[in-house]
Amino acid sequence: MADTRDQNPAKQNRASKLLNEGLSRRSLLIGGGAGVGLLLAWAVWPRTYLPNLTADSGETLFGAWLKIGTDGHITVAVPQAELGQGVFTAFPQIVADELGAAWSAVGVEAAPLNPLYANALGAATLFEAALGGLSESLQRTHATRSALVLTGGSSSIRNFEETLRKAGAAARAMLCKAAARQWGVDWQACGTANGEVIHGNQKLRFGEIAAAAASEDVPNPLPMRGGEANRLYGQKVPRLDAPSKVDGSVNFAGDVRLENMVFASIRQGPVGTAGLAKIDEAAANKVLGMRAVVKTERWVAAVADNWWAADRAIDAMKPRFQVPGDVVNDDTIADALTAALDGEGKRIAETGDLAAQFKGARLVSAEYRVGLALHAPIEPMTCTANYADGRMSLWLPSQAPGLARAAAARAAGLSEDSVTVYPMMAGGSFGAKLEHAVAEQAAVIAKQIGRPVQLTWSRVEDFRHDCYRPAAAARMAGKLGPNKSLAGWLAKIAAPSAGRELSERLLGGDPLVAATLAVSGGDPSAVAGAIPAYAIPNYAVDHHPAAIGVPSGHWRSDAHSYTAFFNESFIDELAHVAESDAVTFRMAMLGSQPRLARCLQLAAQLGNWQGGAQGSGQGIACHSFRGSHIAVLAEARLGAGRKVKVERMVAVVDVGRVVNPDLVEQQIEGGLIFGMAAAIGGSTGFTDNVASVMDIADLNLPRLADMPDITVEIIRSDADPGGVGELGVPAVAPAIANALQAATGVRFRALPLLSDVE
């Protein structure tokens, strides 16, 4: 969709000239501060952005976030992708609460692309390697300037809650002013409830005065609602997206059907492919329904009357790709991690004098490994594209629709203004749908064949060309003091610089990103979550960058998924060496973390913690994540066939203020199951540059019969909202590993669990 910025042309031309003439990456490196200064000056150049939300007949717009119909219906615009996390309910709930609306009258629609919907916190989280060194205000300005509409990093509520509350409050004040004008009373004496403006016994429905209210001024300062009566915030209101998902009426990207549409299947080369070498096009043309072949240096697609025919045609082609001499397999990945640990690392965090503490001391040490993790959502990568009259339309689920639009435009040789993205519901993602390769491919195919086309990756393609949660390894060392308290801690973590890779891949054309990446050189996001939550007087965390030859991307909870495994497994080992109860050992070091300590203590109580005694099969772990805190108690054992059997999980969370308790509980439960799946499966090896896993059945995912008994307790809190969508994942794997140690007496130090056992 078109950029709606209201800009001064002279300033815009000057800024463009500065960016285009000499602010290449090379000039930034040579010019140093001068080049960066010009970029910063461009980033703070004054601009104004106008809403581009559209109103249907009988609707009145109230800014960029909501509109009210004459019948009283209220529609809230949501820029975030609905991935199952409930954002299509939480956002309207915040607005409706502040507005004083009746929940039965509230609806939702996807917001258009606009800088007003930029997610600065999400950008700072996802692209920490590129933007982490900038001030918070510059991060916010850059995200807005770049129209970074993003979903990810458990950032949606944290970033938008205040904006949504103000949108609801502004509309409420305008409605009260319009009603007060009719009644001849002070507007501040009016209130709202259940979709009506109220003054004593006088009432007016929102729809009756919406048109008149739109011309009222927004007061400054803006009064926010107070009190507990008639509030929607904190209530278990029904999900707005649930009915259509239950009855099947909701449209996902694969449901899109356009006149004269064809279907495409694609084949991309192995990791490290240098180019397409050979295809058997004649064999593909023998497939009934086959229409066309589209190929580039990196991939080849078959286009047919239906997807099944297209996929058969791709198989018949037997594509061959040129692969350079560097082979990627399980051994090379393991060797790369070992070499990185043996090499020099970059210190990310430290406190105290660890070297002095470790000198000549008897240390407790352990080494841990985690394998590549797949995203594996139910819905594979898919996009429908239509090119007509010089314009491209795309229908796809995307966590970054603006970036997808830009990438598709570049690939098809079009301007961004000529590309329109229609965001669709996503059938899961876990970070995968930040990537936009499928949008690029669909755009190229549609432009070349001149017909609407729906491109869907096969499950094999989805697995082989995932941007995986990277493999990682850690060497942990700790020193116990005379009273068996923890006196020193060293975490040496080998992992790819996944944050830099993601930033370069998705934001590589951004001059400010290129500049900051060139200057920073590090990637703290690769070891995010590794700084221990415990009061340890001397500690250090080192990142050892590892080049494993496999593409990596954003994955639910990112590095926290392995740093929590390293930390909470090792703290458990230290507790055993200290001959201390694992909960008591942790609690003694959580005096400065009362919210996390409360989660840990309550999880132990609810789970009937037995001290981690041998044979109990109980393990516990805790973790802090993006303003939220969690403790997980797991009960697990080795079942038949030496398979991990998780029988029970108890999770206690403190996520700050809760918009909707049902959504939080659903997300924590989903995160626990996701974390459990990653603990016992969900991984792939590599053989000759190709992922070994080819089907969901190969992932050893837990089935319904494998589900443990789950208890989720939400601690009431008035703190600012923290992240929820990813919170349930990190503490699960170490809790299960600790439980298996209590059940078997054996410490398992690799993920997936038992993968290091012959």
Side-chain angles (χ1 to χ4, degrees):
M1 295 180 181
D3 188 353
T4 59
R5 295 176 292 191
D6 178 19
Q7 303 168 342
N8 182 310
K11 292 179 179 178
Q12 183 183 10
N13 291 338
R14 183 182 174 195
S16 298
K17 186 176 181 181
L18 289 173
L19 289 173
N20 294 330
E21 295 180 4
L23 289 189
S24 65
R25 176 168 178 165
R26 177 174 173 78
S27 68
L28 284 169
L29 290 172
I30 295 173
V36 174
L38 288 173
L39 281 173
L40 299 186
W42 168 81
V44 298
W45 210 285
R47 297 184 187 183
T48 302
Y49 304 98
L50 302 177
N52 59 340
L53 188 64
T54 57
D56 292 333
S57 177
E59 289 184 328
T60 300
L61 291 173
F62 287 81
W65 292 96
L66 74 150
K67 47 192 179 180
I68 301 175
T70 54
D71 62 354
H73 79 263
I74 296 158
T75 302
V76 177
V78 177
Q80 304 302 90
E82 177 56 78
L83 311 167
Q85 81 279 34
V87 71
F88 272 24
T89 299
F91 273 35
Q93 188 170 351
I94 295 170
V95 173
D97 171 72
E98 197 65 47
L99 181 61
W103 187 244
S104 59
V106 176
V108 64
E109 69 177 46
L113 282 175
N114 190 304
L116 293 172
Y117 303 121
N119 183 353
L121 183 59
T125 301
L126 295 171
F127 306 119
E128 181 186 3
L131 304 176
L134 305 177
S135 68
E136 184 177 334
S137 61
L138 186 54
Q139 287 177 357
R140 189 181 307 110
T141 302
H142 174 265
T144 304
R145 290 294 158 87
S146 306
L148 287 177
V149 178
L150 300 167
T151 305
S154 296
S155 62
S156 294
I157 300 299
R158 293 188 295 146
N159 187 80
F160 288 106
E161 185 202 31
E162 183 179 359
T163 300
L164 294 166
R165 289 188 64 209
K166 288 180 177 178
R172 172 173 46 80
M174 295 164 76
L175 289 165
C176 286
K177 281 189 170 186
R181 197 177 299 279
Q182 287 193 29
W183 294 329
V185 300
D186 181 1
W187 74 269
Q188 295 183 81
C190 299
T192 59
N194 298 317
E196 295 176 322
V197 181
I198 303 169
H199 180 265
N201 294 325
Q202 296 174 298
K203 295 182 179 181
L204 278 173
R205 294 191 299 274
F206 287 172
E208 297 178 77
I209 53 172
S215 61
E216 296 286 348
D217 293 331
V218 177
N220 185 18
L222 185 63
M224 311 302 286
R225 284 192 74 184
E228 298 294 327
N230 300 313
R231 300 304 296 262
L232 290 172
Y233 199 108
Q235 302 303 310
K236 297 182 177 182
V237 301
R239 288 183 64 144
L240 295 180
D241 58 326
S244 60
K245 288 180 176 178
V246 171
D247 66 22
S249 61
V250 66
N251 280 327
F252 291 88
D255 297 318
V256 173
R257 293 294 181 269
L258 304 175
E259 186 178 356
N260 201 33
M261 189 175 84
V262 288
F263 299 81
S265 184
I266 198 167
R267 186 68 51 82
Q268 302 160 86
V271 168
T273 292
L276 180 64
K278 181 181 179 182
I279 60 171
D280 187 348
E281 195 165 341
N285 288 331
K286 294 178 182 179
V287 175
L288 185 65
M290 175 65 182
R291 294 295 177 184
V293 173
V294 178
K295 57 185 177 181
T296 69
E297 287 187 2
R298 306 288 298 177
W299 52 263
V300 58
V303 181
D305 291 338
N306 58 76
W307 187 84
W308 178 247
D311 199 50
R312 288 182 61 204
I314 275 286
D315 287 339
M317 279 186 216
K318 298 179 179 177
R320 296 292 182 267
F321 295 86
Q322 296 175 348
V323 180
D326 293 337
V327 175
V328 178
N329 56 38
D330 294 345
D331 289 339
T332 65
I333 292 172
D335 291 345
L337 293 173
T338 299
L341 282 175
D342 291 338
E344 186 175 350
K346 180 179 178 61
R347 183 135 296 178
I348 301 298
E350 64 179 330
T351 192
D353 189 349
L354 186 64
Q357 192 67 221
F358 273 13
K359 186 176 181 180
R362 181 180 178 183
L363 303 179
V364 179
S365 62
E367 185 166 323
Y368 302 89
R369 298 258 170 166
V370 300
L372 295 167
L374 291 140
H375 290 90
I378 292 295
E379 178 189 44
M381 290 295 189
T382 184
C383 178
T384 299
N386 184 31
Y387 180 71
D389 301 323
R391 297 193 60 82
M392 182 74 68
S393 297
L394 302 173
W395 291 261
L396 78 159
S398 175
Q399 293 176 247
L403 298 181
R405 180 183 72 163
R410 288 193 301 269
L414 303 171
S415 69
E416 286 189 43
D417 287 345
S418 64
V419 178
T420 300
V421 172
Y422 296 97
M424 307 296 294
M425 287 276 191
S429 175
F430 316 122
K433 291 177 173 64
L434 275 169
E435 308 294 336
H436 46 236
V438 69
E440 298 174 299
Q441 296 159 352
V444 169
I445 296 169
K447 188 178 181 185
Q448 182 164 327
I449 67 173
R451 293 175 63 176
V453 61
Q454 185 173 100
L455 169 64
T456 302
W457 289 12
S458 68
R459 183 63 65 186
V460 172
E461 203 69 14
D462 207 51
F463 284 177
R464 288 185 171 180
H465 294 280
D466 197 1
C467 291
Y468 311 89
R469 194 285 313 277
R475 286 178 183 161
M476 311 291 289
K479 177 192 173 184
L480 294 172
N483 58 352
K484 295 190 177 180
S485 62
L486 189 50
W489 171 286
L490 174 62
K492 295 162 63 71
I493 299 173
S497 297
R500 290 182 62 87
E501 184 181 334
L502 184 74
S503 298
E504 290 168 351
R505 186 168 60 246
L506 298 188
L507 302 179
D510 187 311
L512 185 59
V513 169
T516 55
L517 286 174
V519 171
S520 69
D523 188 2
S525 61
V527 293
I531 297 175
Y534 306 102
I536 304 172
N538 306 280
Y539 74 77
V541 175
D542 295 342
H543 175 217
H544 294 252
I548 63 174
V550 177
S552 56
H554 178 61
W555 190 85
R556 192 174 186 178
S557 79
D558 271 342
H560 290 259
S561 64
Y562 52 79
T563 57
F565 175 66
F566 300 153
N567 283 7
E568 287 299 291
S569 295
F570 189 54
I571 205 78
D572 218 63
E573 296 204 49
L574 288 166
H576 278 277
V577 174
E579 298 179 338
S580 175
D581 173 280
V583 171
T584 303
F585 189 71
R586 288 173 168 86
M587 288 294 294
M589 297 181 288
L590 287 177
S592 61
Q593 300 285 345
R595 295 173 68 189
L596 182 60
R598 187 179 179 192
C599 290
L600 179 65
Q601 193 171 42
L602 188 53
Q605 292 173 358
L606 293 177
N608 191 25
W609 174 250
Q610 299 172 27
Q614 200 62 44
S616 68
Q618 287 187 331
I620 203 162
C622 59
H623 192 67
S624 294
F625 180 85
R626 293 172 187 159
S628 293
H629 311 273
I630 186 170
V632 176
L633 182 148
E635 293 182 355
R637 58 181 173 81
L638 287 183
R642 289 187 61 79
K643 291 186 177 181
V644 178
K645 175 63 177 176
V646 182
E647 297 175 326
R648 186 181 180 217
M649 284 195 283
V650 176
V652 177
V653 300
D654 181 344
V655 299
R657 289 191 306 275
V658 173
V659 177
N660 186 321
D662 275 351
L663 296 181
V664 172
E665 187 172 351
Q666 290 162 11
Q667 281 301 290
I668 298 302
E669 287 180 352
L672 294 174
I673 297 303
F674 188 91
M676 173 181 158
I680 64 177
S683 183
T684 184
F686 252 73
T687 304
D688 294 333
N689 300 62
V690 174
S692 306
V693 168
M694 299 179 64
D695 193 83
I696 286 181
D698 300 330
L699 288 176
N700 191 37
L701 299 178
R703 303 183 182 186
L704 188 60
D706 302 316
M707 289 299 102
D709 177 71
I710 294 178
T711 300
V712 175
E713 181 74 14
I714 303 171
I715 293 177
R716 184 181 178 88
S717 173
D718 293 325
D720 289 340
V724 176
E726 301 171 289
L727 177 65
V729 177
V732 175
I736 295 174
N738 295 340
L740 289 178
Q741 197 282 333
T744 66
V746 178
R747 172 64 61 178
F748 299 101
R749 299 190 179 96
L751 293 181
L753 295 167
L754 307 187
S755 60
D756 56 341
V757 178
E758 295 295 335

